Amino acid sequence: MTSSYNVQHAPVGAFASFTLGSFDRRGGFASQVGRPGDSNLYIGYREGDGDLFLLPYFEAARGPDVPFGVTLSRDTRRRRVFGDQDIRRELGWASDTIRAGRLTLAIYSPFGPIPDPRTAPPAEVAARSCPALIARIELDNTGRSEPLTGVFALEAPSLRDLETASDGRLVGVAHGRRWGFAVRPEAGVRAFQAFSPEHAFDGSADRLFRLGKTGGLLIEVPPGQKREVWIALGFHDAGAITTGVEARYAYTRYFKGLEDVLSFALDRREALVAEAAQRDEELSRAALSPAQKWLLAQATHGYFGSTEWLDTALDDASPPAPLWVVNEGEYEMMNTFDLTIDHLFFELRYAPWAVRNVLDLYVDRYSYRDRVKRPGAPGELLPGGVSFTHDMGVSNHFSPAGNSSYERPNLDAACFSYMTYEQLTNWICCAGVYVARTGDEEFLERHGGLFTELLASLSHRDAPEPGARTGVMALDSDRCGTGAEITTYDSLDHSLGRARGNLYLAGKGWASYVILAHLLESRGDAQRAAEAKAAARKAARAIAAAFDERSGYIPALLDGGSTSAIIPAIEGLLYPHVMGLLDERAAGGEHGELVQVLRRHLSAVLKPGLCLFPEGGWKLSSSSDNSWASKIALCQHIARAVLKVDLPDPDRHEEAHVRWQIEGSGYWAYSDQMQRGVPVGSRYYPRGVTAILWLDEARSGQKQARS
Amino acid sequence: MTSSYNVQHAPVGAFASFTLGSFDRRGGFASQVGRPGDSNLYIGYREGDGDLFLLPYFEAARGPDVPFGVTLSRDTRRRRVFGDQDIRRELGWASDTIRAGRLTLAIYSPFGPIPDPRTAPPAEVAARSCPALIARIELDNTGRSEPLTGVFALEAPSLRDLETASDGRLVGVAHGRRWGFAVRPEAGVRAFQAFSPEHAFDGSADRLFRLGKTGGLLIEVPPGQKREVWIALGFHDAGAITTGVEARYAYTRYFKGLEDVLSFALDRREALVAEAAQRDEELSRAALSPAQKWLLAQATHGYFGSTEWLDTALDDASPPAPLWVVNEGEYEMMNTFDLTIDHLFFELRYAPWAVRNVLDLYVDRYSYRDRVKRPGAPGELLPGGVSFTHDMGVSNHFSPAGNSSYERPNLDAACFSYMTYEQLTNWICCAGVYVARTGDEEFLERHGGLFTELLASLSHRDAPEPGARTGVMALDSDRCGTGAEITTYDSLDHSLGRARGNLYLAGKGWASYVILAHLLESRGDAQRAAEAKAAARKAARAIAAAFDERSGYIPALLDGGSTSAIIPAIEGLLYPHVMGLLDERAAGGEHGELVQVLRRHLSAVLKPGLCLFPEGGWKLSSSSDNSWASKIALCQHIARAVLKVDLPDPDRHEEAHVRWQIEGSGYWAYSDQMQRGVPVGSRYYPRGVTAILWLDEARSGQKQARS
């Protein structure tokens, strides 16, 4: 397959990426935006006085843009651009290595446990939050009798050299105060600014023409030698950067400017590269297929590019007050709750405190109490309860308390309507898994009182009369006005878009009752735990009862209003499963009927014409061409780890999913919402880290193999 | 003429503009860049439920860009866009009024004396530095029986509403934390965010859809009524924004955020509008032609849009440490010295302390000492002396001490070479005029010791042997390497581009000697004053002696290397003139010969085929199509006020100069470097305020009329 695709090389929590890889497109540094950078990148080398060889990471060459209405002496040498046939690329979990001609470029974006700033030593927080990447450029001039000059440069406005600002401790260039790249001074490596990369080779002793909007590094390699240079790529966004809730980046407590960031990264280069290598090794050893490894690696880069590790304490004298945000890719919505639940497993692995941080803020600022209404009875308002907003704001603007940026009234189960029921289940499922994994008693204590409310709120959305309840959502929030609620599959048809009586949501409702029963029990509230258990049983029954023997699956809307076949029917199983509430004997235990019926469902729908695309690849709904890549990864895990279904032709499907990302998304790095393999939305997206669940399979798989 | 042209509506010293007026183009807010904003502006109204009438300040309509791969209900109403025939526009010195249909939009950018932050009361500094404009929108719904809804909105990323952030004290929208607009709450005025202006009228009770990238104000006007609304347009760039020398905006000491700026401007609205009206009145009453008034008004807007009023004291506890910067329009070079001398007269009127501030920094950080070289004798280095860099940096990056961002070695009198001699004369002329106008003894005291050095430096660039000196520059700085110096007319041919033996520069050399003689005399250094006087006489003689009786003018290069006719021969006269060193009897006094010969020169060259374009308009050099509008204004003043030449057909020429700006520059507001009336560089430029000198003429003209 082509190596022409972007990867979001991103530090942890800076909402910043150095994006590179898509042929003939701009890329490079960008921060505080959900799209690739806008720089032509000039990375390559010149052999002696000959042609300039460059990687194809810039837009089709125009002449260099020289201002002042003058013509500079034209460089008659040609640019030779490496093509797909010349380039070998290897994407690791925390590295990306590109080889072409005499050049090897490796970019490392190390990640690992993210410490809680309230309890961890400041040095640890500084090291992890430092908004920098490390790149290694290697130039092989062996077997040649001429010198070779490497170039690592880009085009951007407001460039400056870093040598001046760092008193010679850094050699490189920066864009304003916001991003830049540098090496430590060493012989034969110089920074330049010029009108074009060709002008950098004009033989002038003084290569720093500060009006030039092309800037970077020139690396001299003597004849017959090989040389490697380490480059730090860093970001710095100072001061309060959000509104609504004012916050700054956590790293600004430790790094006062871009120069600090770059110096720190260069000083810690070995540790950074070692950690990246450790992640690469972990993924490499995992019992996953090459396609699965690539998907998880690409998704992980996208996730970190969307993360925002903030501190609401604006002065350094106050103790850290962390605030964790994941932006919704190109949409830039903040902590979108129906993404939070999907990031959950990745975050529990690397930053459990961040999961709690988001759940706490959902309770404190982004919860609301509503009433509910029956369809077709607009005047009648029934008791509702607590739920949570779809998101916390957009583009670094926290929305007012109790309001998302996304949800709008008066939309009949269309995109932008409310997701009240879904977000209610999301809080419950996240909290349950969080507590099960961390044993955080303080969290349980703090939110214990809410559990009763959550149970009531779920039940009220079923039916006002306890006797009439089926365990399934049947009433819409009055926040919808004349409209009706939707699910996270907002751009789908009613098979997944409508919330009421939806099979997917029924599964998450069931899971929420199961989890609430468990939490209430552990708090000693046996009565309400029993109530929740009963509701779970009802929900399971309602799902099972809707099974249609003729079609062999459960219709998307339990009332038969949509008979589409949908894969996310099985999503809800995941949360009780990872909490250990679906035991080994699941098929025969308390939830046996549900597990069995969903296994039959999945086996029936995973067929061409229903939930498989002709060319391979999973189709979340039989009646829509929209499919969400992150959700496929999640459901694959459930299919294998919970339902233990023998998936048909897994390699072929996974390779199709890789093609969606490389041939479909390409420029947009990891994308989620795919229409026949081409992203129509949710581009440059963080949600693909649901694939982290595959590693758990691998582990249990290995255990099984060993046993 | 068309009303389709941009004006940089700009507060004082924020490097920020709200640019509007060019049809079918984007514009609006932009700060820290030398170009118009990038927003579609939607300003107009809807009559009842009918069509939307808009001013033509947006790009040719595409459909509204709705993300999420969904289609919203299409609005079937049409946009009706006002055309040139519908729009009446009136540009005042500090206001811009646009009338179309039922709409009147007036934007006020008041200016006046700018206080010195080190001595003025903080409240005065706060008021003047507040980075805001005031706009008035009037909607006339008289004679109609339907309501009318006005709209003032734009399209931009990262929009947010201001109501939330200001606890309801502001109604409006902002882009991030950096700019926005708002009104005080009043009945019938609401902020909105939507995917398109049409969506704002969708009848929804909730008009704040935070995902929408179109945002602004809706203004309800009842049937039969007229309504006016006052809108503050503000900017806020927080924290250190420069490098090399770290500085923040002076206003950040008084305004902690955008909300503060907008509130302050709305509270002071009446005073702001009154001051704008006062400036408008002054210009309106001036004895200038309508074309002259328009040019000065347009130039003044451009000047303020490029100003940057900084403070190097980064914490509020330290006393203000002001730093004045004027950016070089689209080039963004800082305090370019060959612009500083042209801004001099405008700045002496409104901010004399800023002139001193820049001159001080040129001495303290941007002076250097060089040696000089004879043409054709590269190995021989002769004593040089002190001079100054071309600029102080670019794009908010102060360049290293002693270096500009522009000047490059090894260029043979081509663009980007050194301007050592010219910048030396610029410091002397600026300092002389500054002292003469302000009587600043402290400045004299501080730099007194430098005067001797300046004289030596001028002389050394003439010839090493005192006996061989002609008063004219003949040696290039060794900073040029193998190259040769140029003048501010860097994109011209050698008629104005080459420094050595250049008539234009000879005039400024003469002026520098005259001024130094005066300054040295006033410091009691009679011997060196006499030396300077003698040099001035030599320079005058050299210029006069080069007069070519056959052509009737002095050739551009005194040695005859270029026989072009150039207008800027007369530039040097200005500085001694405004210092009162060319008295009424100039023609008969000490400088009589020079004045007479330059009068003959100008009268001879101001002819079609030489220094007039066929369609009217001044041509600075007979051998180039490049002309600088700001320099024309300066030379016109000298012609009238010093040489008292009867200018041919002045109204026709000035109208041509207006056409250059409106039809040629248009989108770029005021531009300077014109090639046959179309800007090829120096766009969006501050230098046009040389036209302020015309007001002095008018005054002396009025006096003459009275006497």
Side-chain angles (χ1 to χ4, degrees), chain A residues 68-69 158-160 164 176-177 195 206 208-211 240 242-243 246 331 333 394-395 397 400 405-406 408 415-416 491 680, chain B residues 68-70 158-160 164 176-177 206 208-211 240 242-243 246 331 333 394-395 397 400 405-406 408 415-416 491 680:
Chain A
F68 297 87
S158 198
L159 281 189
R160 64 182 173 108
T164 312
R177 303 172 65 95
F195 286 140
D206 172 13
L208 217 48
F209 188 6
R210 292 168 204 279
L211 299 185
T242 57
T243 66
E246 291 215 320
Y331 302 139
M333 282 181 279
V394 63
S395 304
H397 304 310
S405 65
Y406 172 100
R408 313 282 295 157
C415 195
F416 310 121
S491 313
V680 292
Chain B
F68 297 86
V70 297
S158 198
L159 281 189
R160 64 180 173 109
T164 311
R177 303 173 64 95
D206 173 13
L208 218 47
F209 188 6
R210 294 168 203 279
L211 299 185
T242 57
T243 67
E246 292 215 321
Y331 301 139
M333 282 182 281
V394 62
S395 303
H397 304 310
S405 65
Y406 173 99
R408 312 283 296 156
C415 194
F416 309 121
S491 313
V680 292

Coordinates of all heavy atoms in Angstrom, one line a residue, chain A residues 68-69 158-160 164 176-177 195 206 208-211 240 242-243 246 331 333 394-395 397 400 405-406 408 415-416 491 680, chain B residues 68-70 158-160 164 176-177 206 208-211 240 242-243 246 331 333 394-395 397 400 405-406 408 415-416 491 680:
Chain A
F68 N 8.7 42.1 -2.4 CA 9.4 43.4 -2.8 C 9.4 43.6 -4.3 O 10.1 44.4 -4.8 CB 10.9 43.4 -2.3 CG 11.0 43.4 -0.8 CD1 11.0 42.2 -0.2 CD2 11.0 44.5 -0.1 CE1 11.0 42.1 1.2 CE2 11.1 44.5 1.3 CZ 11.1 43.3 2.0
G69 N 8.6 42.8 -5.0 CA 8.5 43.0 -6.5 C 9.8 42.9 -7.2 O 10.1 43.5 -8.2
S158 N 6.2 34.4 10.0 CA 6.8 34.8 11.3 C 7.9 33.9 11.9 O 7.9 33.5 13.0 CB 5.6 34.9 12.4 OG 6.0 35.7 13.5
L159 N 8.8 33.5 11.0 CA 9.9 32.6 11.4 C 10.9 33.5 12.1 O 11.1 34.7 11.9 CB 10.5 32.0 10.2 CG 9.8 30.7 9.6 CD1 10.8 30.1 8.6 CD2 9.5 29.7 10.7
R160 N 11.7 32.8 13.0 CA 12.8 33.5 13.7 C 13.8 32.4 13.9 O 13.5 31.2 14.0 CB 12.4 34.2 15.0 CG 11.9 33.2 16.0 CD 11.4 33.9 17.3 NE 10.8 32.9 18.2 CZ 11.4 32.5 19.3 NH1 12.5 32.9 19.7 NH2 10.7 31.7 20.1
T164 N 19.8 33.1 18.4 CA 19.8 34.4 19.1 C 19.1 34.4 20.4 O 19.6 34.8 21.5 CB 19.0 35.5 18.2 OG1 19.5 35.4 16.9 CG2 19.2 36.9 18.7
G176 N 7.1 32.4 15.5 CA 6.7 33.2 16.7 C 7.2 32.6 18.0 O 8.4 32.2 18.1
R177 N 6.4 32.6 19.0 CA 6.7 32.0 20.3 C 6.0 30.7 20.4 O 6.1 30.1 21.5 CB 6.3 33.0 21.4 CG 6.9 34.4 21.3 CD 6.3 35.3 22.3 NE 6.6 34.9 23.7 CZ 7.6 35.4 24.4 NH1 8.4 36.3 23.9 NH2 7.9 34.9 25.6
F195 N 14.3 32.6 1.2 CA 13.0 32.6 0.5 C 12.6 31.3 0.0 O 11.4 31.0 -0.3 CB 13.1 33.6 -0.7 CG 13.1 35.1 -0.3 CD1 13.9 36.0 -1.0 CD2 12.3 35.5 0.7 CE1 13.9 37.3 -0.6 CE2 12.3 36.9 1.1 CZ 13.1 37.8 0.4
D206 N 26.5 33.9 5.2 CA 25.4 34.3 6.1 C 24.1 33.7 5.6 O 23.5 34.2 4.7 CB 25.4 35.8 6.2 CG 24.2 36.2 7.1 OD1 23.6 35.4 7.8 OD2 23.8 37.4 7.0
L208 N 21.3 33.4 7.3 CA 20.1 33.7 8.1 C 19.5 35.0 7.6 O 19.8 36.1 8.0 CB 20.6 33.9 9.6 CG 19.6 33.5 10.7 CD1 19.1 32.1 10.4 CD2 20.3 33.5 12.0
F209 N 18.7 34.9 6.6 CA 18.0 36.0 6.0 C 16.6 36.1 6.6 O 15.7 35.3 6.3 CB 17.9 35.8 4.5 CG 17.4 37.0 3.7 CD1 17.1 38.2 4.4 CD2 17.1 36.9 2.4 CE1 16.6 39.3 3.7 CE2 16.7 38.0 1.7 CZ 16.4 39.2 2.3
R210 N 16.5 37.0 7.6 CA 15.3 36.9 8.5 C 14.0 37.2 7.8 O 12.9 37.0 8.4 CB 15.5 37.8 9.7 CG 16.6 37.3 10.6 CD 17.1 38.4 11.6 NE 18.5 38.1 12.0 CZ 18.8 37.1 12.9 NH1 17.9 36.5 13.5 NH2 20.1 36.9 13.2
L211 N 14.0 37.7 6.6 CA 12.8 38.0 5.9 C 12.3 36.7 5.2 O 11.1 36.6 4.8 CB 13.0 39.0 4.8 CG 13.4 40.4 5.3 CD1 13.4 41.4 4.1 CD2 12.5 40.9 6.4
A240 N -3.5 31.9 29.7 CA -4.8 31.3 29.7 C -5.2 31.1 28.3 O -5.1 32.0 27.4 CB -5.8 32.2 30.4
T242 N -8.2 29.1 27.5 CA -9.6 28.7 27.3 C -10.5 29.8 27.9 O -10.0 30.7 28.6 CB -9.9 27.4 28.1 OG1 -9.5 27.7 29.5 CG2 -9.1 26.2 27.6
T243 N -11.7 29.8 27.6 CA -12.7 30.7 28.2 C -13.8 29.8 28.8 O -13.9 28.6 28.6 CB -13.3 31.6 27.1 OG1 -14.1 30.9 26.2 CG2 -12.2 32.4 26.3
E246 N -11.4 29.2 32.8 CA -10.1 29.7 32.4 C -9.0 28.7 32.8 O -8.9 28.3 34.0 CB -9.8 31.1 33.0 CG -10.6 32.2 32.4 CD -9.9 33.5 32.3 OE1 -9.1 33.8 33.2 OE2 -10.1 34.2 31.2
Y331 N -13.6 18.6 14.8 CA -14.8 19.3 15.4 C -14.4 20.2 16.6 O -15.1 21.1 16.9 CB -15.9 18.4 15.8 CG -16.4 17.5 14.7 CD1 -16.8 16.2 14.9 CD2 -16.6 18.1 13.4 CE1 -17.3 15.4 13.8 CE2 -17.1 17.3 12.3 CZ -17.4 16.0 12.6 OH -17.9 15.2 11.6
M333 N -14.7 19.8 19.6 CA -15.6 19.8 20.8 C -14.8 19.1 21.9 O -13.9 18.3 21.7 CB -16.9 19.0 20.6 CG -17.9 19.9 19.8 SD -19.4 19.0 19.5 CE -19.0 18.0 18.1
V394 N -16.4 23.9 22.9 CA -15.8 23.7 21.6 C -14.7 24.7 21.4 O -14.7 25.9 21.9 CB -16.9 23.9 20.4 CG1 -17.5 25.3 20.4 CG2 -16.3 23.5 19.0
S395 N -13.6 24.3 20.7 CA -12.5 25.2 20.3 C -11.9 26.0 21.5 O -11.7 27.2 21.4 CB -12.9 26.2 19.2 OG -13.4 25.5 18.1
H397 N -13.3 26.8 24.1 CA -14.3 27.6 24.9 C -15.2 26.7 25.6 O -16.0 25.9 25.0 CB -15.2 28.4 23.9 CG -14.4 29.4 23.0 ND1 -13.4 30.2 23.6 CD2 -14.4 29.5 21.7 CE1 -12.8 30.9 22.6 NE2 -13.4 30.5 21.5
P400 N -21.4 27.2 28.8 CA -22.0 27.5 30.1 C -22.3 26.2 30.8 O -22.7 25.2 30.2 CB -23.2 28.3 29.8 CG -23.0 28.9 28.4 CD -22.1 27.9 27.7
S405 N -22.0 22.4 23.5 CA -22.0 23.2 22.3 C -22.8 22.6 21.2 O -23.2 23.3 20.2 CB -20.5 23.4 21.8 OG -20.0 22.1 21.4
Y406 N -23.1 21.3 21.3 CA -23.7 20.5 20.2 C -25.2 20.5 20.2 O -25.8 20.6 19.1 CB -23.1 19.1 20.3 CG -23.6 18.1 19.3 CD1 -22.9 17.7 18.1 CD2 -24.8 17.4 19.6 CE1 -23.4 16.8 17.3 CE2 -25.3 16.4 18.7 CZ -24.6 16.1 17.6 OH -25.1 15.2 16.7
R408 N -29.1 20.8 20.3 CA -30.1 21.8 19.9 C -31.5 21.3 20.1 O -31.8 20.1 19.8 CB -29.9 22.2 18.4 CG -28.5 22.4 18.0 CD -28.0 23.8 18.4 NE -28.8 24.8 17.8 CZ -28.9 26.0 18.3 NH1 -28.3 26.3 19.4 NH2 -29.6 27.0 17.6
C415 N -29.3 14.8 13.5 CA -28.0 15.3 14.0 C -28.2 16.6 14.7 O -29.0 17.5 14.3 CB -27.1 15.6 12.8 SG -25.3 15.8 13.2
F416 N -27.4 16.8 15.8 CA -27.5 18.0 16.7 C -28.6 18.0 17.7 O -28.8 18.9 18.5 CB -27.5 19.3 15.9 CG -26.4 19.4 14.9 CD1 -26.8 19.6 13.5 CD2 -25.1 19.3 15.2 CE1 -25.8 19.6 12.6 CE2 -24.1 19.3 14.2 CZ -24.5 19.5 12.9
S491 N -25.1 10.7 12.6 CA -25.2 10.9 11.1 C -25.8 9.7 10.4 O -25.8 9.6 9.2 CB -23.9 11.3 10.5 OG -23.2 12.2 11.3
V680 N -16.2 11.1 5.8 CA -17.1 12.2 5.5 C -17.3 13.1 6.7 O -18.0 14.1 6.7 CB -18.5 11.7 5.1 CG1 -18.4 11.0 3.7 CG2 -19.1 10.8 6.1
Chain B
F68 N -20.2 17.6 9.8 CA -20.8 16.3 10.2 C -21.5 15.6 9.1 O -22.3 14.7 9.3 CB -21.9 16.6 11.3 CG -21.4 17.2 12.5 CD1 -21.2 18.6 12.6 CD2 -21.0 16.5 13.6 CE1 -20.6 19.2 13.7 CE2 -20.4 17.0 14.7 CZ -20.3 18.4 14.8
G69 N -21.1 15.9 7.8 CA -21.7 15.2 6.7 C -23.2 15.1 6.7 O -23.8 14.1 6.2
V70 N -23.8 16.1 7.2 CA -25.3 16.1 7.2 C -25.8 17.4 6.4 O -25.1 18.3 6.2 CB -25.9 16.2 8.6 CG1 -25.5 14.9 9.3 CG2 -25.5 17.4 9.3
S158 N -13.3 29.3 15.8 CA -13.2 29.5 17.3 C -14.0 30.6 17.8 O -13.5 31.4 18.6 CB -11.7 29.7 17.6 OG -11.5 29.4 19.0
L159 N -15.2 30.7 17.3 CA -16.1 31.8 17.8 C -16.7 31.4 19.2 O -16.8 30.2 19.5 CB -17.3 32.0 16.9 CG -17.0 32.8 15.6 CD1 -18.4 33.1 14.9 CD2 -16.3 34.2 15.9
R160 N -17.0 32.4 20.0 CA -17.7 32.2 21.2 C -18.6 33.3 21.5 O -18.4 34.4 21.0 CB -16.7 32.0 22.4 CG -15.9 33.3 22.6 CD -14.9 33.1 23.8 NE -14.0 34.2 23.9 CZ -14.0 35.2 24.9 NH1 -14.9 35.0 25.8 NH2 -13.2 36.2 24.9
T164 N -21.9 35.0 28.0 CA -21.5 34.1 29.0 C -20.3 34.6 29.8 O -20.3 34.6 31.0 CB -21.1 32.7 28.4 OG1 -22.2 32.3 27.5 CG2 -21.0 31.6 29.4
G176 N -11.8 33.3 19.9 CA -10.9 33.0 20.9 C -10.9 34.1 22.0 O -11.9 34.6 22.4
R177 N -9.7 34.4 22.4 CA -9.5 35.5 23.4 C -9.0 36.7 22.7 O -8.7 37.7 23.3 CB -8.5 35.1 24.5 CG -9.0 33.8 25.2 CD -7.9 33.3 26.2 NE -7.7 34.2 27.2 CZ -8.2 34.1 28.4 NH1 -9.0 33.2 28.7 NH2 -8.0 35.0 29.4
D206 N -33.6 29.7 20.4 CA -32.2 29.7 20.9 C -31.3 29.9 19.7 O -31.1 29.0 18.9 CB -31.9 28.3 21.5 CG -30.5 28.1 21.9 OD1 -29.7 29.1 21.9 OD2 -30.1 26.9 22.2
L208 N -28.0 30.6 19.7 CA -26.6 30.4 20.0 C -26.2 29.0 19.8 O -26.1 28.2 20.7 CB -26.4 30.9 21.5 CG -25.1 31.6 21.7 CD1 -24.8 32.8 20.7 CD2 -25.1 32.2 23.1
F209 N -25.9 28.7 18.6 CA -25.4 27.3 18.2 C -23.9 27.4 18.2 O -23.3 27.8 17.2 CB -26.0 26.9 16.9 CG -25.7 25.5 16.5 CD1 -25.1 24.6 17.4 CD2 -26.1 25.0 15.3 CE1 -24.9 23.3 17.1 CE2 -25.9 23.6 15.0 CZ -25.3 22.8 15.8
R210 N -23.3 27.0 19.3 CA -21.8 27.2 19.5 C -20.9 26.5 18.5 O -19.7 26.9 18.4 CB -21.4 26.9 20.9 CG -22.1 27.8 21.9 CD -22.0 27.3 23.4 NE -23.1 27.8 24.2 CZ -23.0 29.1 24.7 NH1 -22.0 29.8 24.5 NH2 -24.0 29.5 25.3
L211 N -21.5 25.6 17.7 CA -20.6 25.0 16.6 C -20.6 25.9 15.4 O -19.8 25.6 14.5 CB -21.2 23.6 16.3 CG -21.2 22.6 17.4 CD1 -21.7 21.2 16.8 CD2 -19.8 22.4 18.0
A240 N 3.7 38.3 26.6 CA 4.9 38.8 25.8 C 4.6 38.3 24.4 O 4.2 37.2 24.1 CB 6.2 38.1 26.3
T242 N 6.7 39.6 21.6 CA 7.9 39.8 20.8 C 9.0 38.9 21.3 O 8.9 38.3 22.4 CB 8.4 41.2 20.8 OG1 8.6 41.6 22.2 CG2 7.3 42.2 20.3
T243 N 10.0 38.7 20.5 CA 11.2 38.0 20.9 C 12.4 38.9 20.6 O 12.3 39.9 19.9 CB 11.4 36.7 20.1 OG1 11.6 36.9 18.8 CG2 10.2 35.8 20.3
E246 N 11.9 41.2 24.7 CA 10.6 40.8 25.1 C 9.7 42.0 25.5 O 10.1 42.8 26.3 CB 10.7 39.8 26.2 CG 11.3 38.5 25.8 CD 10.7 37.3 26.5 OE1 10.4 37.4 27.7 OE2 10.5 36.2 25.9
Y331 N 5.2 43.8 4.9 CA 6.5 43.2 5.2 C 6.7 42.9 6.6 O 7.6 42.2 7.0 CB 7.6 44.1 4.6 CG 7.5 44.4 3.2 CD1 7.8 45.7 2.7 CD2 7.2 43.4 2.3 CE1 7.7 45.9 1.3 CE2 7.1 43.7 0.9 CZ 7.4 44.9 0.4 OH 7.3 45.2 -0.9
M333 N 8.3 44.4 8.8 CA 9.6 44.8 9.4 C 9.3 45.9 10.4 O 8.3 46.7 10.3 CB 10.6 45.3 8.3 CG 11.2 44.1 7.6 SD 12.5 44.6 6.4 CE 11.4 45.1 5.0
V394 N 11.6 41.8 12.3 CA 10.5 41.5 11.5 C 9.5 40.6 12.2 O 9.9 39.7 13.0 CB 11.0 40.8 10.1 CG1 11.6 39.5 10.4 CG2 9.8 40.7 9.1
S395 N 8.2 40.8 12.0 CA 7.1 40.0 12.5 C 7.2 39.7 14.0 O 7.1 38.6 14.4 CB 7.2 38.6 11.7 OG 7.1 38.8 10.4
H397 N 9.7 39.9 15.8 CA 11.0 39.3 16.3 C 12.0 40.4 16.2 O 12.4 40.8 15.1 CB 11.4 38.1 15.5 CG 10.4 37.0 15.5 ND1 9.8 36.6 16.6 CD2 9.8 36.3 14.5 CE1 8.9 35.6 16.4 NE2 8.9 35.5 15.1
P400 N 18.9 40.6 16.3 CA 20.0 40.7 17.2 C 20.6 42.2 17.1 O 20.5 42.8 16.1 CB 21.1 39.7 16.7 CG 20.3 38.7 15.9 CD 19.2 39.5 15.3
S405 N 16.8 42.9 9.8 CA 16.3 41.6 9.2 C 16.5 41.7 7.7 O 16.5 40.7 7.0 CB 14.8 41.4 9.5 OG 14.0 42.5 8.9
Y406 N 16.7 42.9 7.1 CA 16.6 43.1 5.7 C 18.0 43.0 5.0 O 18.1 42.4 3.9 CB 16.0 44.5 5.5 CG 16.0 45.0 4.1 CD1 14.9 44.9 3.3 CD2 17.1 45.6 3.5 CE1 14.8 45.4 2.0 CE2 17.1 46.2 2.2 CZ 16.0 46.0 1.5 OH 16.0 46.5 0.2
R408 N 21.6 42.4 3.5 CA 22.4 41.2 3.2 C 23.7 41.6 2.5 O 23.7 42.6 1.7 CB 21.6 40.3 2.2 CG 20.2 40.1 2.6 CD 20.1 39.1 3.6 NE 20.6 37.8 3.2 CZ 21.0 36.8 4.0 NH1 21.0 37.0 5.3 NH2 21.4 35.7 3.5
C415 N 18.3 45.2 -4.4 CA 17.4 45.0 -3.2 C 18.0 44.1 -2.2 O 18.6 43.1 -2.5 CB 16.1 44.5 -3.8 SG 14.7 44.6 -2.6
F416 N 17.8 44.5 -0.9 CA 18.3 43.7 0.2 C 19.8 44.0 0.6 O 20.3 43.4 1.5 CB 18.1 42.2 0.1 CG 16.7 41.8 -0.3 CD1 16.5 41.1 -1.4 CD2 15.7 42.2 0.6 CE1 15.2 40.7 -1.7 CE2 14.4 41.8 0.2 CZ 14.1 41.1 -0.9
S491 N 13.7 49.0 -4.9 CA 13.3 48.2 -6.1 C 13.4 49.0 -7.4 O 12.9 48.6 -8.4 CB 11.8 47.8 -5.9 OG 11.7 47.3 -4.6
V680 N 2.9 46.9 -6.5 CA 3.7 45.7 -6.7 C 4.5 45.3 -5.4 O 5.2 44.3 -5.3 CB 4.7 45.8 -7.8 CG1 4.0 45.9 -9.1 CG2 5.6 47.0 -7.6

